[in-house]
Amino acid sequence: EAPVLWVRASSSLRTVPFAALTLALAAAGPEPTDDGFEVTGPDSLAAMRDIHAAIAAFGGGREPLLFVDDAHQLDDASATVLHQLVLSDRAKVLVTLRADEPHAEAVHRLWRDQLCARIEVGPLSFETIGALAAEQLGGPVERDAQLRLHKAVGGNPLFLRELLHDAVHAGTVEQRAGLWTWHGRAGDAPRLSELVTMTVGRLPAEEQDLLQTLARTELLPMDVIERLAPPSVLVALEARALVAVDHDADAHRTVVRLGHPIFGEVFRPPDGSASSRRILREVVAAFVEVVTNPVDQIRLAEWRMEIGAEIDPYELTDLAQLAFERGNPQLAERLARLALTHLRGVPAARAGVTLGEVLIEAGRHAEADQVLAELTEHDLPAPLLGRAIAARLRALCHALGQFDLAA
């Protein structure tokens, strides 16, 4: 069995020549020479010879295997030695690196010169993430927790490890009936947040602003992005896979979203904060010019409500109905109640009927009956009155347990 030398590269060592290999050899055994490695002089050939000799001695007459983790962080000198070892058949290497990070030319030449096979590892599947979580926690994981974990980490095993480490310490994972459950949020995991922040690194102000904007809004049409930031900002973020540009077939347009779901958890400003409100004001100003479909209208209405922007009361009623039909009852209720504070007569009745229907769907039948009872006492147009009466009957039947009649 070949001896294995573990080499762990890091950003803190990247500026020090031979640092990654020197530390790996030091951890594996005694220094190869009495004087150690000379890595600071202008001529590094002697250090290269020492390292080659040390790796040969480590192998003990056998060809060693060098496992290099985070090879995109290797210093140029260590990367050069690594390339020379493979080229001269003095060692075999197994290298991991992030494809979206810059790395030393010598590392790139490992597969460009066909010295090593390059295997692209994409996001792990739902089943694999579930198996890794079960292994880390020491038992099977409940299916809903697996789904939430897979969505949170986007198939990234390193993110999963850090998330579960934080969850265990925070008490947001627990075992019930032999299955592990998770009831936390990825954004509340400090080690994971720190890892993501370090991975992304320090960004120029404009790039940071756009990343936070997408973290707050999830995705935006390209038309809106172009109004918020120069093209160079989007190009820079896309090059690092921090954002992705997709085609929305349903809306027939190009949209921009975050490159990984965890970015939304880590970089999203708190709801209601000054930063969040600033972002939404800028987005609303840009979005209002490109609204093309009901989904846009609902999203815009929600953001306008959050920042306290004025909305025409008649528009509130239409938006409430639209939100209800599109499966957003919480927003529909807020819009309908706000409309009722500004409207009177028939327009108010329209908002009231929508509110009653929303409350029925939420199972709040007594509240719905109270709202609808007031409406049926007024002189309303026949179609609206019929709708109000039908809704009230449904509320009363549900309240009495007559579900067949309610249907």
Side-chain angles (χ1 to χ4, degrees), residues 117-299:
R118 174 176 170 138
I119 302 174
E120 297 282 350
V121 181
L124 300 183
S125 67
F126 161 74
E127 292 78 12
T128 304
I129 287 293
L132 289 176
E135 182 177 348
Q136 185 170 343
L137 293 172
V141 180
E142 188 262 335
R143 181 175 176 81
D144 181 65
Q146 289 186 47
L147 288 168
R148 293 183 60 233
L149 287 168
H150 184 259
K151 181 179 180 181
V153 303
N156 187 306
L158 178 58
F159 290 168
L160 175 69
R161 185 188 71 185
E162 298 303 315
L163 174 57
L164 289 179
H165 178 277
D166 286 334
V168 168
H169 284 269
T172 56
V173 289
E174 56 182 336
Q175 205 168 21
R176 298 175 181 173
L179 294 175
W180 285 96
T181 64
W182 175 53
H183 49 85
R185 288 180 60 254
D188 296 332
R191 278 183 39 153
L192 176 59
S193 297
E194 181 180 354
L195 172 64
V196 172
T197 302
M198 289 176 59
T199 301
V200 171
R202 185 179 296 276
L203 296 174
E206 287 183 319
E207 293 178 25
Q208 181 77 23
D209 283 347
L210 185 55
L211 194 65
Q212 281 195 318
T213 296
L214 287 168
R216 180 62 186 82
T217 59
E218 296 185 5
L219 66 85
L220 288 172
M222 181 65 79
D223 291 346
V224 174
I225 294 292
E226 290 172 345
R227 287 168 166 79
L228 294 174
S232 59
V233 173
L234 179 60
V235 169
L237 291 175
E238 187 181 15
R240 295 193 55 199
L242 297 178
V243 303
V245 178
D246 296 326
H247 179 68
D248 185 345
D250 294 333
H252 305 289
R253 67 185 178 190
T254 301
V255 296
V256 181
R257 68 179 77 246
L258 292 171
H260 194 285
I262 200 66
F263 297 156
E265 295 278 0
V266 173
F267 295 109
R268 178 184 174 116
D271 292 351
S273 66
S275 178
S276 177
R277 292 172 63 85
R278 175 190 61 79
I279 288 171
L280 291 183
R281 280 195 296 269
E282 294 173 356
V283 170
V284 166
F287 209 112
V288 73
E289 301 179 24
V290 299
V291 170
T292 59
N293 58 60
V295 174
D296 285 352
Q297 290 178 292
I298 293 172
R299 297 182 75 203

Side-chain angles (χ1 to χ4, degrees), residues 311-341:
I311 307 177
D312 180 87
Y314 295 93
E315 185 183 359
L316 285 170
T317 302
D318 293 335
L319 289 170
Q321 184 64 36
L322 182 61
F324 180 50
E325 292 171 355
R326 291 279 171 165
N328 192 337
Q330 293 83 8
L331 178 61
E333 179 179 352
R334 290 168 58 202
L335 290 166
R337 289 190 184 279
L338 185 58
L340 283 170
T341 64

Side-chain angles (χ1 to χ4, degrees), residues 352 355-357 359-360 364-377 388-389 391-397 399:
L355 177 59
E357 292 171 338
L359 294 172
I360 291 170
R364 295 153 62 186
H365 305 115
E367 289 181 67
D369 179 58
Q370 184 177 359
V371 170
L372 294 166
E374 297 178 4
L375 300 179
T376 54
E377 296 174 358
I389 292 173
R392 189 182 180 197
L393 286 173
R394 285 179 58 209
L396 289 171
C397 289

Side-chain angles (χ1 to χ4, degrees), residues 79 83 97 103-114 118:
H83 182 267
L97 55 79
H103 45 269
E105 171 65 15
V107 172
H108 180 69
R109 288 175 58 190
L110 287 174
W111 62 84
R112 190 190 68 186
D113 297 346
Q114 299 184 344
R118 174 176 170 138

